[in-house]
Amino acid sequence: MEYKISNRLRIGAIILMVLGVLGVGYGFMDAYSVTEDNITEYLASEDHHGEAHATEGHDLEKDHGHGAEAEVEGHELSHEEHVLHQIHNRPYAALYVAALFFFMIALGVLAFYAIQYAAQSGWSPVLFRVMEGITSYVLPGGILVLIILWIADSHIFIWLDESVVAHDTLIQNKSSWLNKPWFFIRGFIYLAGWSLYRHFSRKFSVAQDLADINDNSNFKKNFRIAAGFLVFYIYTESMMSWDWIMSVDPHWFSTLFGWYVFASMFVSGITVIALITLYLKSKGLLEFVNDSHIHDLAKFMFGISIFWTYLWFSQFMLIWYANIPEEVTYFITRIEDYNVPFFGMLALNFIFPLLLLMNSDYKRIPWFVVMTGVVILFGHYLDVFNMIMPATVGDRWFIGVPEIGSILFFAGLFMLIVFTSLGKYPLLAKGNPFIKESEHFHY
Amino acid sequence: METSKVIHAIYTDDDVLMSAVKKVRQEKHHIEDVFTPFPVHGLDKAMGLAPTRLAITAFLYGALGLSVSIAMMNFIMIEDWPQDIGGKPSFSFLENLPAFVPIMFELTVFFAAHLMVITFYLRSRMWPFKDAENPDPRTTDDHFLMEIAVHNNEESLTNLLKDTGAVEINIVDKDEDAH
């Protein structure tokens, strides 16, 4: 089964990217049109729209939002300066959220792929080429995330702002971990490890296709490196989530955060596998994929959605219950300023998949899986949004041009890279020793 | 007491049994029952049995358990005696919801699991001290038995079953009131 990215798809992806760049560009221009000189007039013109907001805003923003700035003694920012920072942070944060979201999809698929090899699963080998196509985004997507972090600097990570750190003992105590060179060295190590695994697993998987029918050496190599990768992955994924996500709130920490982020990327990754599989199948390119495979993917979407909710709730309920002030601010900002996205994502990521994918028959109906999949993906975008935005833009969030532009850009890039990679090799990994079992998989 | 005749065809291999079931169904004979020592994958489909609705009952029982837990805790913790316990907000159910979720979850699972199991026992008529309905003790070890009612067609039925590879064919009088 050969596949070549169609011209329509390529052009569509490029249009998405162009629209995205325009949106992101507009976001930056719009944000930087507000400067120290006209911030007072800007806020005054806003007050005409809602007077309550101005009085309430002033008190609240001191307590949360970019908490690190406001709390420091002797380094009090005026309300105007504080708001200006938030306005300027927004396009960076919007870009970062979208970059991270799409990167984590590819990384989640890579973990899923490695698990399939390590578990020697018999049902999934027909989907290996789809997974390999998606993981081709790991390297470019990861590089983009690091570049955005490098450029955004203290717009996303307050601990990169030396004037803040100088007055903040808490961050100073963490600076042996949270400092710029070590942060980027770590990012480089993670990315190098992940892409090396992806490079070799793809190489061995393709080599297995061409090997003699009795020669399983490439499969065995893949099995071994998958086991090794999973050990590496579970450490680096956890550290990645501290570095790239948790450190936007450098005063806050949570021990199960790494798992929580993992569940989020894992379920979005599986959802994307299902969506792309259904797309290719609808083109008649994956005849060997039957509805039992779709059923299994949908079961994973269902199960991991509930796993995500379990971790979300465990983190939330422990902190809510104990109500320790330095921890609970994290959720207070989210409940007060992000009420709809914060609880909305719970409906999208938990209640929707729970009710829609519970029925065994529904898991085999393509449009049902696609519909639920789109809801899950949107829910997990909101999840990343809720993790990054409160620390960078505080209550000045909106899903507007910069956010949508960033999503469009990365969606286009993701599609372009993934579908180009899908076209490189046949869609059936025919050399895999489990491929016959997988083709006849029936549940 | 009315008695009727049934044929017991005994097989020693589940694959042979499966093809026999398909063949007997093709010939439009009604299979009363099949006794096997272990679950034979796909036998229910071959026999044309309707799919089970046990999962649906479990969902409903789970919903019942969830309602019970909500009603119980709302009454006890919020309405009947809303004490201040360690500063937890017992002004409304929603405000104190996270503290109730573990119990809501457990009761949902408890109701779904136990009531479904009891439903299963009732529907399949299983209880302690019940007399076993086993036509031949060998079917709990290594033999498979197909039971077909006889309506004055003993000979053709016997020939058909012999063709399907039955190792033993018995015609027995069946006591309708035995179970």
Side-chain angles (χ1 to χ4, degrees):
Chain A
M1 283 296 120
E2 291 289 343
Y3 168 78
K4 273 275 165 281
I5 179 168
S6 64
N7 263 333
R8 252 175 60 194
L9 194 64
R10 185 185 288 128
I11 291 168
I14 290 170
I15 290 174
L16 285 182
M17 288 172 70
V18 172
L19 283 176
V21 168
L22 290 176
V24 171
Y26 171 79
F28 275 98
M29 272 171 42
D30 192 41
Y32 279 90
S33 68
V34 184
T35 59
E36 278 178 40
D37 303 327
N38 62 9
I39 177 79
T40 324
E41 296 105 78
Y42 177 79
L43 289 177
S45 73
E46 249 187 2
D47 288 345
H48 288 296
H49 298 296
E51 231 151 274
H53 177 79
T55 45
E56 176 203 43
H58 199 89
D59 298 334
L60 283 178
E61 275 158 16
K62 288 249 153 150
D63 300 333
H64 48 76
H66 228 156
E69 280 175 18
E71 278 167 27
V72 187
E73 265 180 68
H75 192 71
E76 295 269 341
L77 289 173
S78 72
H79 176 58
E80 283 75 17
E81 262 181 284
H82 178 64
V83 171
L84 190 63
H85 278 202
Q86 293 184 332
I87 293 172
H88 286 180
N89 286 347
R90 186 175 160 205
Y92 292 104
L95 203 59
Y96 181 53
V97 168
L100 202 58
F101 174 67
F102 282 97
F103 168 71
M104 292 208 305
I105 287 176
L107 191 59
V109 173
L110 190 66
F112 189 74
Y113 178 74
I115 289 171
Q116 300 306 308
Y117 260 112
Q120 303 196 12
S121 77
W123 69 276
S124 52
V126 291
L127 301 171
F128 276 181
R129 284 292 140 80
V130 175
M131 297 183 208
E132 286 165 16
I134 299 171
T135 55
S136 64
Y137 184 77
V138 166
L139 185 60
I143 290 172
L144 277 175
V145 167
L146 284 178
I147 289 175
I148 290 171
L149 286 180
W150 184 271
I151 294 169
D153 204 65
S154 62
H155 284 291
I156 290 174
F157 295 125
I158 193 71
W159 53 267
L160 280 169
D161 186 340
E162 272 161 25
S163 61
V164 171
V165 179
H167 296 92
D168 191 323
T169 328
L170 260 171
I171 302 183
Q172 280 165 16
N173 287 336
K174 293 181 180 180
S175 60
S176 60
W177 182 266
L178 292 181
N179 61 72
K180 195 163 186 176
W182 182 213
F183 177 87
F184 280 97
I185 291 171
R186 280 198 308 273
F188 183 76
I189 293 172
Y190 309 152
L191 201 54
W194 300 332
S195 8
L196 275 178
Y197 168 69
R198 137 81 205 177
H199 171 78
F200 283 108
S201 69
R202 171 77 148 183
K203 190 177 137 191
F204 295 143
S205 168
V206 172
Q208 183 69 48
D209 268 13
L210 309 169
D212 184 70
I213 187 88
N214 292 316
D215 174 18
N216 282 334
S217 60
N218 286 301
F219 175 79
K220 285 180 188 160
K221 280 185 210 160
N222 246 345
F223 171 72
R224 287 198 198 100
I225 62 171
F229 165 75
L230 285 171
V231 175
F232 175 80
Y233 170 81
I234 208 61
Y235 282 100
T236 48
E237 186 276 333
S238 208
M239 287 193 264
M240 178 219 81
S241 64
W242 309 334
D243 280 354
W244 295 1
I245 303 176
M246 199 159 77
S247 79
V248 294
D249 292 292
H251 285 178
W252 181 81
F253 62 88
S254 161
T255 36
L256 64 67
F257 197 74
W259 280 103
Y260 171 64
V261 173
F262 164 73
S264 183
M265 72 167 81
F266 203 50
V267 69
S268 344
I270 293 164
T271 305
V272 171
I273 297 175
L275 293 183
I276 294 186
T277 304
L278 284 170
Y279 168 76
L280 292 173
K281 194 170 158 55
S282 73
K283 296 249 162 197
L285 292 162
L286 294 176
E287 281 139 25
F288 40 84
V289 172
N290 57 41
D291 59 358
S292 291
H293 295 110
I294 306 299
H295 186 120
D296 262 31
L297 283 172
K299 259 191 290 194
F300 268 107
M301 284 160 63
F302 175 74
I304 309 295
S305 283
I306 291 168
F307 179 61
W308 174 89
T309 316
Y310 166 63
L311 292 177
W312 176 88
F313 182 72
S314 302
Q315 180 170 277
F316 173 73
M317 194 263 244
L318 280 182
I319 289 174
W320 173 87
Y321 214 117
N323 206 16
I324 299 172
E326 63 255 40
E327 286 179 1
V328 86
T329 47
Y330 185 82
F331 286 112
I332 287 178
T333 22
R334 278 157 183 80
I335 291 172
E336 281 180 359
D337 299 337
Y338 289 74
N339 203 290
V340 173
F342 187 64
F343 291 111
M345 77 168 174
L346 207 58
L348 297 174
N349 290 342
F350 174 58
I351 297 173
F352 233 79
L354 177 82
L355 294 177
L356 291 184
L357 290 178
M358 193 178 315
N359 190 317
S360 183
D361 296 330
Y362 292 170
K363 294 201 219 23
R364 295 165 182 272
I365 304 171
W367 67 266
F368 228 92
V369 176
V370 170
M371 181 178 70
T372 321
V374 170
V375 170
I376 290 177
L377 284 183
F378 180 57
H380 283 279
Y381 171 79
L382 277 186
D383 187 19
V384 182
F385 187 86
N386 282 325
M387 291 195 267
I388 302 294
M389 286 297 181
T392 48
V393 303
D395 61 348
R396 305 194 72 84
W397 69 274
F398 191 70
I399 299 189
V401 178
E403 285 80 9
I404 294 172
S406 311
I407 295 173
L408 292 181
F409 173 77
F410 282 102
L413 185 70
F414 184 84
M415 281 162 61
L416 195 65
I417 291 175
V418 168
F419 283 100
T420 309
S421 167
L422 277 171
K424 284 192 180 141
Y425 294 101
L427 287 177
L428 181 64
K430 67 174 171 30
N432 190 297
F434 289 106
I435 201 73
K436 273 283 163 291
E437 179 183 341
S438 181
E439 281 181 65
H440 296 120
F441 172 67
H442 172 76
Y443 168 74
Chain B
M1 251 213 248
E2 196 194 346
T3 56
S4 67
K5 278 185 174 176
V6 292
I7 280 196
H8 284 173
I10 295 180
Y11 300 84
T12 49
D13 187 286
D14 49 341
D15 286 335
V16 179
L17 173 78
M18 280 289 280
S19 56
V21 166
K22 282 173 194 157
K23 191 158 179 195
V24 171
R25 291 248 303 158
Q26 246 168 29
E27 304 284 333
K28 307 280 183 220
H29 292 294
H30 176 68
I31 301 173
E32 299 264 296
D33 218 337
V34 175
F35 296 82
T36 65
F38 51 79
V40 177
H41 193 76
L43 185 61
D44 52 339
K45 280 228 173 66
M47 287 172 70
L49 298 180
T52 173
R53 290 168 294 181
L54 209 53
I56 299 169
T57 66
F59 179 81
L60 296 175
Y61 295 145
L64 175 69
L66 186 64
S67 318
V68 167
S69 65
I70 291 173
M72 178 182 79
M73 285 183 295
N74 184 48
F75 176 71
I76 297 173
M77 303 301 291
I78 309 295
E79 283 173 12
D80 192 36
W81 200 338
Q83 282 188 100
D84 181 344
I85 302 170
K88 284 280 157 285
S90 41
F91 306 107
S92 77
F93 186 78
L94 216 54
E95 265 185 304
N96 214 357
L97 179 66
F100 301 147
V101 166
I103 298 157
M104 286 157 60
F105 170 76
E106 293 295 348
L107 277 188
T108 307
V109 174
F110 179 87
F111 272 65
H114 288 84
L115 292 182
M116 174 174 72
V117 167
I118 293 168
T119 309
F120 169 71
Y121 284 155
L122 292 177
R123 291 292 290 149
S124 45
R125 300 168 182 283
M126 291 207 294
W127 51 82
F129 312 114
K130 177 193 160 101
D131 288 327
E133 298 171 13
N134 197 345
D136 190 323
R138 289 174 299 172
T139 59
T140 62
D141 184 13
D142 59 351
H143 284 62
F144 305 83
L145 188 149
M146 186 181 353
E147 186 178 293
I148 303 168
V150 179
H151 308 285
N152 300 323
N153 54 354
E154 275 180 43
E155 217 160 300
S156 65
L157 209 50
T158 313
N159 289 334
L160 171 71
L161 289 171
K162 267 190 186 141
D163 283 349
T164 60
V167 293
E168 198 181 310
I169 294 170
N170 305 320
I171 299 170
V172 287
D173 289 333
K174 192 170 179 182
D175 188 352
E176 286 289 344
D177 294 338
H179 59 86

